[in-house]
Amino acid sequence: MTVYVRALETAVPPTLLIQHEARDVFASQPGLTRLGSRLVSTCFDSAAIDTRYTAVRELTLDSAAEDPQFFDPQTRVLRSPSTKARNNLFAEEATKLFIEAADAAVSKCDGIDPPDITHLITVSCTGFFNPGPDYKIVRALGLNPAVQRYHLGFMGCYAAFPALRAAKSFCEADPAAVVLVVCAELCSLHVRTSNDPDTIMGSALFADGAAAAVVTAREDLESRPLLQLDHFETVLTPVGEDSMAWNIGDEGFEMVLGNYVPHIIDSHIVGALEPLLARDPSLRELAYRDITHWAIHPGGRSILDKVQSRLDLTDEQLHPARETLRNYGNMSSATVLFVLKHILDLPSREGDERICSMAFGPGLTVETGLFTKVRQPADGLHAASAEAEPSLA
């Protein structure tokens, strides 16, 4: 049985952060040491990010908030709201993104109406509330109240893969299943000023966004499949348990992102890919750069640099990941779905287009997925027309 993604849509909050403006604010905070200020400038400038989006409307220089909790534009001082205050904003703003992304995906899937959804999987690691985002989506979109609901919480940047893997399993168990997967993360809720290098790195990288996918094995639909879900694998590296973590503090969630993480990935990425590529005999003898697309979670520029160097990938193969990082930053679990959408939006090529995808998270966990991009009729027609058109040379 073949399981497909038939719609994949993304959403971001309306407030845009310009990286160099955010750098100047973070670098000028009271309490920073001279070294801390230099670290801010270095981390922000080397992140390979131009813009990010945030659900915290106060995080702009022209904010008109009367009683700001996160940022005072008059004094340009970042404040330290409690975890409760941050989580309250998560409940309000994440709900909007969950619903927007879910509605966009279902609306793009011709032949599927909201009551046809049989399973709903929501994903987030940046906040908690109950009744949660799964409940909110059911009510807002008019899903069947009996829809099976699952929430994957606090897994980190790799969580889109367990969600897609679960969706594939549901569809293989029930050929009539239609699964809606929605990831939404509000990482910017937890930024703070600090001299700690991990905290500074998080402030330079993380952003907010959401993505949703409709997954099914049904063949009786009007919408064309976009992406075939082939295989998934999970690998825990033998080192790195203390190098990447996500903890709950009194003033928001606290990230641990050690500067040794890129080196761990560099040392263990080949071994992490072996179980995945061994699932498909047609790929075992290929060089990594012979696989058409690589949807790498852009955890940071240095991580992408290590992946590209170790696997000998071309700039073109890393372009979707680098462009996602440049335009959106690191949106935790939603980010790799942004990268996949970028690849799906590219013109189709001749033959099968295999996609090897991976994301990294606490543990250190490496989640990998193997997909096939499905050629769309318009792409095939365009290619045929181009071949039939006589050359003017």
Side-chain angles (χ1 to χ4, degrees):
M1 180 181 299
T2 305
V3 181
Y4 296 101
V5 170
R6 291 198 174 248
L8 177 58
E9 296 297 321
T10 60
V12 292
T15 301
L16 179 69
L17 293 178
I18 308 299
Q19 184 77 345
H20 68 84
E21 293 179 354
R23 174 204 64 202
D24 294 344
V25 168
F26 275 83
S28 63
Q29 293 304 298
L32 280 183
T33 64
R34 184 175 300 178
L35 175 59
S37 183
R38 288 203 301 268
L39 280 174
V40 169
S41 296
T42 299
C43 288
F44 275 72
D45 288 344
S46 64
I49 295 171
D50 291 342
T51 55
R52 294 178 281 167
Y53 292 85
T54 176
V56 185
R57 296 184 179 89
E58 295 176 10
L59 293 180
T60 59
L61 296 175
D62 57 354
S63 171
E66 295 182 0
D67 185 21
Q69 297 184 79
F70 289 81
F71 176 63
D72 185 347
Q74 302 301 319
T75 61
R76 298 171 67 94
V77 171
L78 290 161
R79 298 190 170 181
S80 299
S82 66
T83 300
K84 178 180 180 179
R86 297 175 196 259
N87 197 65
N88 286 344
L89 189 59
F90 175 86
E92 177 183 351
E93 297 296 333
T95 296
K96 299 175 185 176
L97 279 183
F98 271 110
I99 292 172
E100 181 182 349
D103 184 55
V106 175
S107 297
K108 281 292 183 70
C109 196
D110 294 336
I112 292 292
D113 293 320
D116 297 324
I117 303 296
T118 60
H119 300 72
L120 171 61
I121 304 172
T122 53
V123 179
S124 189
C125 69
T126 48
F128 303 92
F129 63 97
N130 203 2
D134 51 330
Y135 174 91
K136 301 292 187 181
I137 291 171
V138 170
R139 293 304 192 197
L141 270 63
L143 304 189
N144 187 333
V147 63
Q148 295 186 35
R149 295 180 285 139
Y150 303 87
H151 181 72
L152 301 184
F154 222 65
M155 297 185 77
C157 294
Y158 63 80
F161 286 91
L164 290 174
R165 183 169 57 237
K168 184 174 185 287
S169 296
F170 291 147
C171 294
E172 290 171 338
D174 177 5
V178 180
V179 186
L180 176 59
V181 175
V182 194
C183 302
E185 304 285 8
L186 269 58
C187 306
S188 71
L189 288 176
H190 304 291
V191 300
R192 60 176 61 79
T193 180
S194 174
N195 288 296
D196 175 68
D198 286 351
T199 304
I200 292 172
M201 182 61 70
S203 299
L205 288 175
F206 281 101
D208 304 344
V214 176
V215 179
T216 186
R218 285 175 52 179
E219 299 286 352
D220 60 333
L221 301 178
E222 299 173 23
S223 61
R224 300 283 301 183
L226 302 177
L227 193 68
Q228 179 177 311
L229 302 183
D230 298 322
H231 307 293
F232 294 94
E233 291 289 343
T234 302
V235 171
L236 298 180
T237 62
V239 295
E241 181 177 350
D242 299 326
S243 297
M244 187 183 295
W246 190 229
N247 303 309
I248 299 178
D250 292 333
E251 296 178 347
F253 299 172
E254 299 170 352
M255 185 195 69
V256 176
L257 184 60
N259 57 15
Y260 195 61
V261 168
H263 300 284
I264 297 173
I265 293 172
D266 183 42
S267 299
H268 297 283
I269 187 173
V270 171
L273 282 170
E274 286 178 354
L276 179 75
L277 299 183
R279 299 285 296 273
D280 192 324
S282 68
L283 299 179
R284 291 175 187 169
E285 304 303 322
L286 290 180
Y288 294 119
R289 68 161 55 202
D290 291 331
I291 297 173
T292 310
H293 302 291
W294 288 81
I296 310 299
H297 167 69
R301 180 194 56 78
S302 59
I303 289 176
L304 294 180
D305 289 346
K306 290 293 186 182
V307 170
Q308 182 171 5
S309 174
R310 174 61 64 181
L311 302 183
D312 190 29
L313 302 181
T314 66
D315 290 343
E316 181 183 10
Q317 287 171 309
L318 263 290
H319 184 73
R322 293 195 189 277
E323 279 296 285
T324 298
L325 181 66
R326 184 174 69 85
N327 294 321
Y328 299 100
N330 183 343
M331 300 165 286
S332 192
S333 68
T335 320
V336 74
L337 297 180
F338 276 68
V339 179
L340 283 169
K341 180 166 174 55
H342 185 115
I343 292 172
L344 291 174
D345 289 342
L346 295 173
S348 292
R349 305 182 184 186
E350 290 295 328
D352 289 340
E353 294 185 52
R354 306 306 298 276
I355 303 172
C356 189
S357 184
M358 67 180 67
F360 319 96
L364 185 74
T365 302
V366 183
E367 287 278 353
T368 57
L370 194 61
F371 313 121
T372 303
K373 180 180 176 181
V374 180
R375 177 180 288 248
Q376 299 304 301
D379 293 324
L381 178 63
H382 177 76
S385 299
E387 292 172 0
E389 184 176 338
S391 171
L392 297 180

